[in-house]
Amino acid sequence: MVPIRRWAATALLLLASASPALATPAPTLLKWLKLPGSLSSLYAANALGQASLNGQVGGSPEALLAQVRTSLAIQGYKERTANTVVGPWGFNLVLDPPENVTVDGTPAGKKAALVLQSTSLGPGKLNLNVRYEGL
């Protein structure tokens, strides 16, 4: 019996040392973001952690996009410019998290990305949705 216990203890140590750093749940990471407006937590079925932030903010799509780009760049996020689209209807913005941020629940073979989508609700009024997705 002693050899089995020794083997099990060794296996546990190897697993612990080989496992990646602890990941942070998406809802927690979303709360830490510095974004404009008063955004509320919202259930999002396809998002990591099934969580998103959502709310209405004022301004134009171009102005809001510039504001969130600047804020998130300061926080260490890197824009995937190929995914950025902006128009009078709103915008789509996808960013990679900072190197030290790991999102819990990211599927194997995928990387977590922060996705922001804004839709125009009327002149000077936008809806903003923010979530992490595995891409």
Side-chain angles (χ1 to χ4, degrees), residues 111-122:
K111 186 174 179 185
L114 183 65
V115 177
L116 292 89
Q117 291 179 311
S118 177
T119 305
S120 181
L121 300 174

Side-chain angles (χ1 to χ4, degrees), residues 36-57:
S38 180
L39 304 177
S40 301
S41 295
L42 180 70
Y43 173 80
N46 296 324
L48 292 177
Q50 297 183 329
S52 68
L53 297 176
N54 197 73
Q56 295 177 6
V57 294

Side-chain angles (χ1 to χ4, degrees), residues 25-117:
T28 301
L29 290 169
L30 289 170
K31 286 181 194 173
W32 292 343
L33 293 174
K34 293 174 183 71
L35 294 167
S38 180
L39 304 177
S40 301
S41 295
L42 180 70
Y43 173 80
N46 296 324
L48 292 177
Q50 297 183 329
S52 68
L53 297 176
N54 197 73
Q56 295 177 6
V57 294
S60 69
E62 295 83 4
L64 180 58
L65 177 60
Q67 192 176 8
V68 296
R69 268 183 174 149
T70 301
S71 178
L72 292 168
I74 290 169
Q75 296 173 65
Y77 286 81
K78 305 258 188 277
E79 182 177 350
R80 293 185 178 191
T81 54
N83 299 109
T84 302
V85 182
V86 63
W89 51 268
F91 67 80
N92 184 72
L93 177 65
V94 180
L95 304 107
D96 291 317
E99 295 279 329
N100 62 341
V101 172
T102 305
V103 184
D104 189 34
T106 303
K110 297 203 177 215
K111 186 174 179 185
L114 183 65
V115 177
L116 292 89
Q117 291 179 311

Side-chain angles (χ1 to χ4, degrees), residues 6-38:
R6 202 172 288 154
W7 177 85
T10 303
L12 285 173
L13 285 173
L14 287 173
L15 284 173
S17 65
S19 64
L22 292 177
T24 305
T28 301
L29 290 169
L30 289 170
K31 286 181 194 173
W32 292 343
L33 293 174
K34 293 174 183 71
L35 294 167
S38 180

